[in-house]
């Protein structure tokens, strides 16, 4: 485990622990406040993220930004990362060996950032962090506490682009997160 986010980011440069290194343009390390109380974990970079090296800058990210603005979450105040740091080809789900290879990096990030709340965006984040027994349709909107961190599973913003009816649930889940932050006085 490394002691600073900067050291960790430096270490990850040139990572070749899994096959995604062969097709990536940029490693998408993570972005935001290194001391955030609130962290978001997505699945993996898409095409826009791969090109820019920043998470959630494509269509799904823009939708998430709109929800942030509406609810009063400042993107600069939170930290955003993914289960895998390199783009899976054709935006397929990360494979198990890829998620496992990348997990130590994410663990190290969480250890250094020390968020109080982590929002898990979609099934891939949910299953890799809380376990395969969870499924997003039943777990979303319900708090799970593990090792002193509160987890809120919700739909991945890309799922909202495919199905409008999910938007209200995503919005409500983020509102619940905002309320919790306020009630914790942070
Ligand atoms: N989808 C994700 O899961 N992560 C990103 O960074 C972008 C899209």
């Amino acid at each position: 485990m490394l002691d600073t986010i900067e050291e960790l980011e430096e270490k990850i440069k040139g990572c070749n622990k899994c096959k995604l290194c062969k097709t990536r343009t940029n490693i998408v390390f993570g972005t935001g406040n290194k001391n955030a109380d609130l962290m978001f974990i997505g699945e993996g970079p898409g095409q826009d993220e791969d090109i820019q090296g920043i998470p959630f800058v494509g269509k799904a990210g823009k939708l998430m930004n709109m929800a942030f603005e509406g609810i009063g979450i400042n993107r600069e105040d939170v930290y955003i990362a993914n289960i895998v740091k390199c783009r899976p080809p054709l935006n397929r789900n990360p494979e198990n060996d890829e998620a496992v290879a990348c997990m130590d990096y994410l663990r190290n990030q969480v250890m250094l950032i020390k968020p109080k709340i982590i929002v898990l965006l979609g099934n891939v984040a949910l299953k890799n962090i809380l376990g395969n027994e969870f499924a997003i349709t039943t777990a979303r909107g319900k708090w799970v506490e593990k090792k002193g961190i509160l987890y809120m599973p919700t739909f991945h913003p890309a799922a909202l682009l495919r199905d409008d009816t999910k938007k209200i649930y995503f919005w409500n889940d983020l509102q619940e997160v905002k309320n919790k932050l306020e009630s914790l006085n942070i």
Side-chain angles (χ1 to χ4, degrees):
M1 292 284 158
L2 293 167
D3 293 335
T4 68
I5 281 281
E6 290 77 15
E7 280 177 291
L8 182 61
E9 187 162 11
E10 194 53 40
K11 180 186 167 183
I12 289 178
K13 281 186 186 155
C15 176
N16 59 3
K17 287 209 288 179
C18 85
K19 57 190 174 298
L20 296 181
C21 69
K22 295 188 190 129
T23 47
R24 71 169 179 241
T25 309
N26 283 298
I27 293 177
V28 180
F29 176 70
T31 189
N33 178 357
K34 291 179 289 185
N35 303 113
D37 291 315
L38 176 57
M39 179 165 176
F40 288 79
I41 300 180
E43 183 177 312
Q47 187 176 30
D48 295 302
E49 291 78 18
D50 177 62
I51 291 167
Q52 295 186 44
I54 304 167
F56 284 99
V57 289
K59 268 190 191 161
K62 293 201 167 82
L63 187 58
M64 191 162 82
N65 290 347
M66 277 171 59
F68 282 178
E69 274 169 37
I71 288 162
I73 294 172
N74 193 344
R75 191 169 153 134
E76 285 77 51
D77 290 344
V78 307
Y79 196 87
I80 305 175
N82 282 306
I83 294 294
V84 292
K85 302 206 174 330
C86 298
R87 182 190 183 202
L90 304 171
N91 297 346
R92 65 160 169 75
N93 282 357
E95 290 170 1
N96 194 49
D97 60 313
E98 297 158 357
V100 168
C102 222
M103 191 51 77
D104 274 352
Y105 297 144
L106 185 59
R107 272 203 203 99
N108 205 155
Q109 272 172 311
V110 171
M111 216 191 74
L112 294 170
I113 294 162
K114 300 188 185 70
K116 298 194 170 62
I117 294 176
I118 296 182
V119 177
L120 300 171
L121 299 165
N123 244 329
V124 170
L126 174 64
K127 286 176 182 288
N128 277 286
I129 302 289
L130 292 183
N132 263 322
E133 66 275 26
F134 287 86
I136 201 68
T137 42
T138 48
R140 65 136 287 276
K142 298 177 194 143
W143 290 108
V144 175
E145 189 178 356
K146 204 174 150 188
K147 294 184 187 163
I149 297 177
L150 280 170
Y151 291 89
M152 173 57 77
T154 191
F155 291 125
H156 191 287
L160 318 181
L161 293 168
R162 293 188 293 266
D163 178 1
D164 250 6
T165 66
K166 291 195 168 94
K167 283 185 179 164
I168 185 72
Y169 297 106
F170 181 74
W171 187 280
N172 288 346
D173 295 346
L174 290 198
Q175 187 66 62
E176 170 66 24
V177 166
K178 180 87 193 319
N179 294 346
K180 179 66 85 181
L181 278 173
E182 281 168 7
S183 77
L184 295 171
N185 220 353
I186 49 182

